[in-house]
Amino acid sequence: MTPPELQDSILSIEGRIAVLTMNRHDVRNELTGTRLAAEIAQVAEWINRDERISVLVLTGEGSAFSSGGNVKHMLNREHGCFGGDVHAVQGKYRQGIQHMAQAIYALEVPSIAAVNGPAIGAGFDLAGLCDLRIGSTEARVAESFLNLGLIPGDGGGWV
């Protein structure tokens, strides 16, 4: 079975191990202003259909695991899932970052978050959705939604 084509991440297969590297280090692997959330969901769904894969390792390229959501986009209600009226945002959130959380939850093989740097907000929640988390000496975590007056709508309140 052919792996999905990806733009913002890199999927490598070594034996029965799939390694998905979020490759948007230019924005610290943010999940909301990139294709990363959609690609993580695509890969998880693909793995569930491919019996050759026994584990998924998820990591980030560059200095961060994932900075989560782009706070400037949230504040300005622009770009990606934050633009539009409340109903548009709701739909984008369900089809975007919430779909990613559900796909990781439904993954039929173990998942490992290799936290190579900061995992903030939705990035922390993504790591929390994985079955196992391994942090480097550079790993830092923060569930920073309360600082913004928000609740984690991406699986953080669920894990």
Side-chain angles (χ1 to χ4, degrees), residues 32-71:
T32 57
T34 65
R35 292 208 24 83
L36 288 173
E39 291 181 2
I40 291 166
Q42 277 181 290
V43 168
E45 291 165 350
W46 170 76
I47 287 172
N48 284 346
R49 294 187 308 270
D50 193 320
E51 295 176 0
R52 298 174 297 167
I53 305 301
S54 296
V55 66
L56 170 64
V57 177
L58 185 60
T59 194
E61 179 65 33
S63 62
F65 176 76
S66 175
S67 62
N70 186 311
V71 178

Side-chain angles (χ1 to χ4, degrees), residues 10 21 23 28 32 37 49 55 59 68 83 85 100 106 112 121 134:
I10 300 167
T21 304
N23 193 33
R28 299 178 55 82
T32 57
R49 294 187 308 270
V55 66
T59 194
D85 68 19
M100 174 200 73
I112 301 170
I134 300 171

